[in-house]
């Protein structure tokens, strides 16, 4: 049983999607709430609309039900697949009469059943939430006079959605077998939500079970209570280690400590935090892989991929594979695995559009995608300028045109006068089309669009609206 928070925001936080969730079991996918950003969030995760089998609605607010009109029309006129809509009986009528009918009523459709396979359980009634997972809803306190509810499912998981502090309720949930409680939390001004300060007043036996949602933290703190991370897929059978994965592996832990020491003061964007992001993304992609992969190999290759980057070792492309092998041999890793990791490190680096090589294994594809995701988007922009400065490049110069489709020799030749902005055309704007996995490709598309928007803004501020840079950018607008 897997659960992914599609967002952990409250509808008003830039960069944070609505606090909805994706539940997966036995090939079935169910949304717990469907807010205005749900479909955008699923696109980032590489999950098409057609894959959604059911939607449960906890209450009627835009960040929990604002995406229902979209899926209704899409299902009716595009996919021709009726999604099961599980809507608690107290809001069954109001959901249509007061919320959806205005946009969805037409000569062919006049009720909720025309768009959805509707299930309306009453309080206490057991129903199939997702792939055979039994659930029941329970009322929660949120807005006075307005219905809201949470879910108890799988015999051990509770999901509150939006609610104020309610110690009697969470105590009852624990008594009823809840081992994991996804709990509402707002960091500030929590009049109709549970504040973080209020959460901390709960007894320790409850805090140990909590995973906070709705918090709006872009980089949540660690510790207890835990914070859910937007777009992080959690294996609920492994609670409370559902997000740590390979970090429980002693060799992976040892390698993390080793790389962190080596890269702690690296200033070019190839530092420990870069490696950590690649490692985390790679382990997530491995978790989501539709085919079996060796997760330990993925973790180790991601951690070691920049142990000795050729760009900073005189162009020696074997520096990294040699250093990785030296480390792994000293740790007693099997020779076959070491050779596999060396192959991944040797082949994953971008060396020009004219010198592309396909990764030989699914483990390699995953690590390459994770590394390339960190080369695009906001972090990709920051790293491009950091690396450019280390190589002595200017930020931008309209008189130096970009070079495209470089072969390996030309791409690696740093004697040619260039700029950091030109590197976007040499590499970053091509990353999207080079992704291996559907999950990474969806994320890369969002980050690609952000980079294009950034460059347009940059050219406007620099008076380069008619430059060759702007003209070339038009072909990368997706």
């Amino acid at each position: 049983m897997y659960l992914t928070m599609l967002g952990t925001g409250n509808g008003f936080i830039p960069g944070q999607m609505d606090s909805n969730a994706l539940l997966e079991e036995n090939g079935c996918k169910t949304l717990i709430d469907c807010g205005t950003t749900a479909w955008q969030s699923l696109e980032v995760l590489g999950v098409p609309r057609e894959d959604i089998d059911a939607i449960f609605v906890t209450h009627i607010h835009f960040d929990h039900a604002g995406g229902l009109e979209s899926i209704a029309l899409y299902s009716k006129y595009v996919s021709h697949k009726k999604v099961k809509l599980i809507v608690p009986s107290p809001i069954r009528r109001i959901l249509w009469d007061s919320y959806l009918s205005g946009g969805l009523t037409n000569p062919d459709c006049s009720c909720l059943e025309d768009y959805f396979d509707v299930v309306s359980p009453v309080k206490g009634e057991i129903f199939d939430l997702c792939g055979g997972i039994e659930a029941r809803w329970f009322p929660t306190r949120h807005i006075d006079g307005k219905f809201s509810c949470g879910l108890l499912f799988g015999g051990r998981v509770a999901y509150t959605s939006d609610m104020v502090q309610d110690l009697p309720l969470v105590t009852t949930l624990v008594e009823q077998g809840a081992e994991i409680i996804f709990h509402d939390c707002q960091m500030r001004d929590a009049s109709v939500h549970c504040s973080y300060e209020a959460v901390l007043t709960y007894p320790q036996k409850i805090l140990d079970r909590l995973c906070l949602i709705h918090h709006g933290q872009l980089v949540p703190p660690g510790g207890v209570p835990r914070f859910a991370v937007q777009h992080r897929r959690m294996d609920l059978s492994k609670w409370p280690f559902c997000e740590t994965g390979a970090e429980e592996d002693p060799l992976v832990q040892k390698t993390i400590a080793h790389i962190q020491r080596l890269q702690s003061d690296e200033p070019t964007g190839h530092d420990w935090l870069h490696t950590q992001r690649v490692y985390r993304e790679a382990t997530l992609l491995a978790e989501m892989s539709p085919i079996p992969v060796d997760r330990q190999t993925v973790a180790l290759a991601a951690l070691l991929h920049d142990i000795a980057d050729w760009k900073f070792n005189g162009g020696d492309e074997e520096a990294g594979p040699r250093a990785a092998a030296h480390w792994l041999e000293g740790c007693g890793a099997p020779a076959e695995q070491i050779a596999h990791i060396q192959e991944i490190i040797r082949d994953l680096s971008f060396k020009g559009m004219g010198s592309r090589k396909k990764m030989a294994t699914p483990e390699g594809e995953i690590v390459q995608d994770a590394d390339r995701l960190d080369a695009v988007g906001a972090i990709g922009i920051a790293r491009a300028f950091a690396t450019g400065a280390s190589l002595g490049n200017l930020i931008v110069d309209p008189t130096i045109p970009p070079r495209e489709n470089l072969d390996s020799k030309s791409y690696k030749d740093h004697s040619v006068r260039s700029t950091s902005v030109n590197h976007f055309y040499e590499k970053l704007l091509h990353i999207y089309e080079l992704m291996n996995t559907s999950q990474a490709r969806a994320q890369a598309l969002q980050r690609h669009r952000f980079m294009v928007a950034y460059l347009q803004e940059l050219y406007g501020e620099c008076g380069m609206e008619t430059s060759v840079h702007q003209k070339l950018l038009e072909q990368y607008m997706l």
Side-chain angles (χ1 to χ4, degrees), residues 11-30:
F12 303 108
I13 301 175
Q16 289 290 89
M17 306 293 190
D18 297 336
S19 191
N20 309 158
L22 171 66
L23 182 65
E24 301 171 78
E25 176 74 352
N26 294 327
C28 179
K29 292 181 172 64
T30 294

Side-chain angles (χ1 to χ4, degrees), residues 319-333:
R322 279 198 309 271
H326 179 73
W327 166 254
L328 292 171
E329 288 166 357
C331 295

Side-chain angles (χ1 to χ4, degrees), residues 331-343:
C331 295
E336 183 178 354
Q337 184 182 41
I338 293 174
H340 187 184
I341 292 171
Q342 283 187 293
E343 180 183 41

